[in-house]
Amino acid sequence: MELRVLKYFLMVAREENITRAAALLNITQPTLSRQMIQLEEELGVKLFDRNRHRILLTDDGMLLKRRAQEIVSLADRTEREFQRREDTLTGEISIGCGETRSMSMLSSWITAFRKAYPLVQFQIYSATADDIKDRMEKGILDMGLMTEPVDIGKYEFIRLPVREAWGVLVRKDSPLAGRRRVSPEDLLGTPLLTASRELVRNELKNWFGDLYDRLEIAATYNLVVNASELVRQGAGAAVCFRLGVAFEDLCFVPLDPELKTGSVLAWKKSQMVTPAVSRFLQFVKQAGKNQPEAAQQAEKE
């Protein structure tokens, strides 16, 4: 498969119309149609369901779309990395970030680094730890800021000093809103929204103990911003971190007994990296050694 043909395919998938896609690609409609037929023949599968008005992807077409997006993204990034100037540090650093207060510390490092190297660009991708690890394995992300528990046996990492406090996000008119803390027994009978990651669910199972099987799990989520909207609409209470973000009409109540977790900034061991990524890793390793005051302040907030 040629990269050019994958880009053609993605344009057809986006436009759902050969004629429009050909016009945007500045090629003729017969040429584009022939390229798509040859791509199907090369792969030995049917990629499109065609009718008079639209062209829709088959299941195999959807799979190729996901793979093509990853391949094209990686190829474009590689090209940008090799276009760097020799006399100054340039390039792009891609970081996957989970929802954690440690993002504040990482943001301060990025800001300080760009003051020294203003031609370096950062690409921030928000996702869960599982998604971040998958993208690091594929070479799409250089590193990831992930909340624990997470399996980092294959990675180098620095552990950030801020620890996240677990609690429940509830509406202000909820009976739980007036409590200073909530116990496992307090949450019985309340529909709960919990994290979708298996390692996190296991952590919560340990906290709930024997009561876990009696819980009403209304939904699972991967990013708490969307979960907060479900809470606002009355779907239940979200079990989550205290992120230091004010949600209108909602309040955060800590768990009792206390449950806390940490976060790590991780990257693949012994991987070849660009000069920009290498310099940034050196920077954060040094910065990570000088953060006790910041951690103490964050714990108080």
Side-chain angles (χ1 to χ4, degrees), residues 15-253:
E15 295 298 317
E16 299 181 349
N17 184 283
I18 285 284
T19 302
R20 286 200 303 269
L24 291 169
L25 292 167
N26 293 316
I27 61 176
T28 66
Q29 184 269 334
T31 297
L32 183 56
S33 294
R34 186 168 58 253
Q35 292 279 6
M36 293 301 98
I37 292 172
Q38 290 174 350
L39 181 60
E40 288 181 315
E41 292 175 349
E42 180 181 354
L43 295 175
V45 296
K46 183 180 179 183
L47 298 173
F48 304 100
D49 282 325
R50 300 169 174 84
N51 60 43
R52 295 179 57 187
H53 305 291
R54 298 173 66 191
I55 295 178
L56 300 177
L57 294 178
T58 63
D59 289 343
D60 287 322
M62 291 298 297
L63 175 60
L64 179 61
K65 180 182 177 182
R66 290 195 295 271
R67 295 293 181 261
Q69 288 171 331
E70 294 171 356
I71 293 169
V72 170
S73 175
L74 187 57
D76 289 345
R77 183 179 170 205
T78 301
E79 183 177 350
R80 289 194 298 270
E81 288 171 349
F82 278 95
Q83 290 174 345
R84 61 181 181 268
R85 290 167 51 185
E86 294 184 359
D87 60 339
T88 189
L89 189 66
T90 64
E92 181 180 272
I93 301 173
S94 297
I95 308 177
C97 299
E99 291 181 314
T100 165
R101 288 188 302 155
S102 293
M103 184 63 195
S104 176
M105 186 172 292
L106 178 59
S107 298
S108 70
W109 293 345
I110 291 173
T111 301
F113 187 80
R114 289 204 72 253
K115 287 180 180 179
Y117 307 104
L119 296 182
V120 174
Q121 295 181 335
F122 284 82
Q123 181 186 77
I124 304 300
Y125 176 78
S126 298
T128 64
D130 295 339
D131 190 10
I132 291 169
K133 286 174 59 181
D134 181 61
R135 286 174 173 261
M136 285 198 293
E137 288 299 319
K138 293 175 179 176
I140 300 173
L141 294 175
D142 295 308
M143 62 195 77
L145 175 62
M146 300 176 285
T147 53
E148 297 176 304
V150 60
D151 182 2
I152 51 175
K154 297 168 56 178
Y155 301 92
E156 294 185 59
F157 65 93
I158 57 173
R159 179 164 279 109
L160 279 73
V162 177
R163 290 180 59 79
E164 309 291 350
W166 282 88
V168 290
L169 192 65
V170 299
R171 286 169 42 142
K172 290 184 177 178
D173 59 2
S174 166
L176 299 175
R179 296 178 178 269
R180 295 184 60 187
R181 294 184 175 274
V182 292
S183 67
E185 291 79 7
D186 295 330
L187 297 176
L188 291 177
T190 299
L192 298 179
L193 288 64
T194 65
S196 57
R197 289 183 56 220
E198 183 176 358
L199 289 177
V200 175
R201 291 202 306 270
N202 290 339
E203 192 90 347
L204 293 174
K205 283 182 181 179
N206 291 333
W207 185 81
F208 279 103
D210 295 338
L211 296 180
Y212 186 81
D213 291 335
R214 295 170 55 189
L215 298 177
E216 179 185 348
I217 306 299
T220 60
Y221 67 89
N222 62 346
L223 296 177
V224 75
V225 172
N226 288 336
S228 70
E229 189 57 39
L230 286 168
V231 175
R232 185 174 289 111
Q233 296 299 325
V239 184
C240 61
F241 299 144
R242 183 198 296 274
L243 292 176
V245 178
F247 292 99
E248 186 179 359
D249 301 327
L250 306 179
C251 64
F252 179 90
V253 186

